[in-house]
Each structure stands twice: as structure tokens, then as C-alpha cells.
Amino acid sequence: MVPISYYLVLSGLLFACGVCGFLIKRNIITIFMSIELMLNGVNLSFVAFAAHWHQLAGQVFVFFVMVVAAAEAAVGLAIIIAVYRTRETLNVDQVNLLKL
Amino acid sequence: MVSIHLILFLAFGAVAAAGAINLLVQRHPINAALSLIAVMAALAGEYMLLGAEFVAAVQVIVYAGAIMVLFVFVIMLLNAGVEEQTKGSRVAILFGIPGMLLGSLLIAWVVLKHSGTGDVAVGALPGAPNVIGQLLFHEFLLPFEVTSILILIAIMGAVVLASKPPVPGGTPAKKVQD
């Protein structure tokens, strides 16, 4: 028997690491990976709460989060490719203008 | 007494936490992507411990498989190198690392002291694929169909965004130098 709170602590740690990576990273792809890390942390808390309340809807929600993450990854990486094509850089410090 | 459940939880949790911290430490995007794959594989183990078999399988197939392959593909396509540090990023590190520690400690303190949640056994809530499928195609049918439309729009958006922009005047597009 493991307390649910341990799973929640792990989920919070993963989310905090994601937020930190989002703030300190300068490569646009790594920033995007930090967002995926945050989504994973949230998914873990969804599954933990599903086990806590005996509601399978929590696991279905994880499925929906994964679908949205897949759509986000596809569109986001396409945007990254478009940004690289016009700016020829992946550093977010150099992508600070809306218009070239 | 230390149960095998706790040992497995701590083992998978240690891998996940180490991968997440390694994601922050690594400077090269490909190393960050590989550590993120380790995090996702460890999380699949945690899902199995909680009994969510279907979620664990989808985690490995969709997340660690499809999405991360897309990431690695883009990293290699764009030939992304080691990220360079600027003055702004040093300020962000100065505030980001203590902020992360503070945030995770706050979450841990609140959850451990004030949540009042109980214990969970191995496989507490069996999420077998047939049960999940029943839910997905009865109670959650409308959200399921809406996500399929979302995926369709995302596919079209990705194709439009990643395709070469039309060149005015018919001049050939400028080649991107590696």
C-alpha cells in the first residue's frame, strides 16, 4: 500500500520541473519538451485521483489529454519548422519580432 | 514494513524524477529528448502500478513512441545544436531553479500534510481496454468525436504550416543553410 499523496508529490515534482524548464531553456524545441513534461505530470495526478475515487473517467481524461498533446505536438513542431525557415535560429531570444 | 509496491513506486519515481532533472541540466536537445523518453517510460510503469493498463500502453505507444519520434525527427531535421546561454537565460536560471524547488516543496508539503487521501493497493482501479472502450463510446462519445475533428484540423494545420510558403513573382525559394 502506497499513499496516493506520494503519486501526487511525484506529479507535482514533474510539473515543477516542466515549469522550470519552460523558464530557463532557450532552445524552442526544449521549451516544447518542457510543456510535454508538464502534461505528463498532470496525467499522473489524473490517474492517481481516478484510483482514489474509483472513477474510471479519470483514465478516459488522460486519453483525451494525450490526444490534445499529440495535436499540439504536430502543430507546434510545424510552427518550429516554419520559424526556423524564416529566422534560421532556434533561440527564442532571437525570435522577438512578429514581423521580419 | 516496506512492500514491493512501495519499492516499485520509488524505483519508477526515481527514474522519472532523474529524467526530469536531467532534462533541465542537458544542453543539447537530443539528450533532453532522450531523458524525456525515460520519464515517459517510467510513468508508464507508475500507471501499471495504479492498474491503468490501457493508459500505460497508450503512454508507451503514443507518447514515448509517436510524439517523441516526431520531436527527435524535428531536432535532426533542423540540425539543432547546443543551446547558447545569454544574459536573460542566466537571470531565468537565477529565479527559475529556486522557484522550481519552492514550488515542488510547497506542493509536497500541502499534499502530504493536508490532503487526507488514503492508501492505494496495486492495481486499485483496473482500467482494462474493454472497460475504457465502453466508457469512451457511450458516456464520452461526443468528446471523442470532437477530438477526432481536432486531430483532423491539427493534421491540416501542420501540413499548411510546414509546407513551403508560396514565392511571390515565381522566384525560387531561398534554400535554408544548415
Side-chain angles (χ1 to χ4, degrees), chain A residues 4-5 7 16 24 27 38 40 48 51 54 56 58 67 76 85 95 100:
Chain A
I4 287 283
S5 46
Y7 286 99
I24 70 173
N27 189 312
M38 282 192 258
N40 269 286
H54 284 276
L56 266 179
V67 171
R85 198 174 278 148
V95 187
L100 273 177

Side-chain angles (χ1 to χ4, degrees), chain A:
Chain A
M1 300 288 271
V2 171
I4 287 283
S5 46
Y6 287 11
Y7 286 99
L8 297 181
V9 167
L10 178 62
S11 144
L13 176 70
L14 292 181
F15 190 87
C17 281
V19 173
C20 183
F22 187 86
L23 292 176
I24 70 173
K25 289 294 182 181
R26 281 296 165 268
N27 189 312
I28 193 166
I29 299 176
T30 322
I31 288 175
F32 210 57
M33 283 192 271
S34 305
I35 297 174
E36 298 292 329
L37 189 59
M38 282 192 258
L39 286 169
N40 269 286
V42 172
N43 276 351
L44 182 60
S45 70
F46 259 128
V47 175
F49 277 124
H52 180 230
W53 274 300
H54 284 276
Q55 292 274 327
L56 266 179
Q59 296 184 9
V60 178
F61 268 54
V62 172
F63 173 77
F64 286 127
V65 170
M66 282 177 184
V67 171
V68 173
E72 175 225 345
V75 175
L77 289 171
I79 290 174
I80 288 172
I81 289 175
V83 164
Y84 186 79
R85 198 174 278 148
T86 53
R87 318 271 167 145
E88 301 189 9
T89 180
L90 288 172
N91 193 330
V92 285
D93 288 336
Q94 291 164 27
V95 187
N96 50 5
L97 294 174
L98 281 177
K99 193 165 178 289
L100 273 177

Side-chain angles (χ1 to χ4, degrees), chain B residues 135-155:
Chain B
L135 266 179
L136 209 52
F137 288 104
H138 286 108
E139 283 184 48
F140 294 94
L141 183 62
L142 182 64
F144 181 76
E145 294 298 335
V146 172
T147 49
S148 65
I149 296 172
L150 174 77
I151 285 282
L152 184 66
I153 295 170
I155 292 168

Side-chain angles (χ1 to χ4, degrees), chain B residues 17-151:
Chain B
I21 290 166
N22 196 32
L23 174 74
L24 300 181
V25 174
Q26 292 292 341
R27 304 281 297 279
H28 201 284
I30 206 84
N31 296 344
L34 290 179
S35 56
L36 190 56
I37 290 172
V39 172
M40 285 164 176
L43 278 180
E46 300 277 8
Y47 295 152
M48 284 304 281
L49 282 182
L50 282 166
E53 305 160 19
F54 176 72
V55 173
V58 172
Q59 170 88 5
V60 171
I61 294 168
V62 174
Y63 248 131
I67 294 181
M68 291 317 292
V69 163
L70 202 59
F71 269 96
V72 173
F73 181 75
V74 169
I75 290 168
M76 293 189 168
L77 178 73
L78 300 184
N79 201 10
V82 176
E83 64 175 8
E84 62 259 39
Q85 297 286 320
T86 55
K87 201 174 174 202
S89 68
R90 278 189 211 100
V91 174
I93 288 172
L94 205 63
F95 288 102
I97 302 277
M100 180 201 86
L101 288 175
L102 204 68
S104 48
L105 281 178
L106 187 70
I107 292 170
W109 181 71
V110 167
V111 165
L112 287 176
K113 290 291 169 197
H114 297 280
S115 68
T117 51
D119 292 358
V120 61
V122 176
L125 186 63
N130 54 347
V131 189
I132 298 279
Q134 289 279 342
L135 266 179
L136 209 52
F137 288 104
H138 286 108
E139 283 184 48
F140 294 94
L141 183 62
L142 182 64
F144 181 76
E145 294 298 335
V146 172
T147 49
S148 65
I149 296 172
L150 174 77
I151 285 282

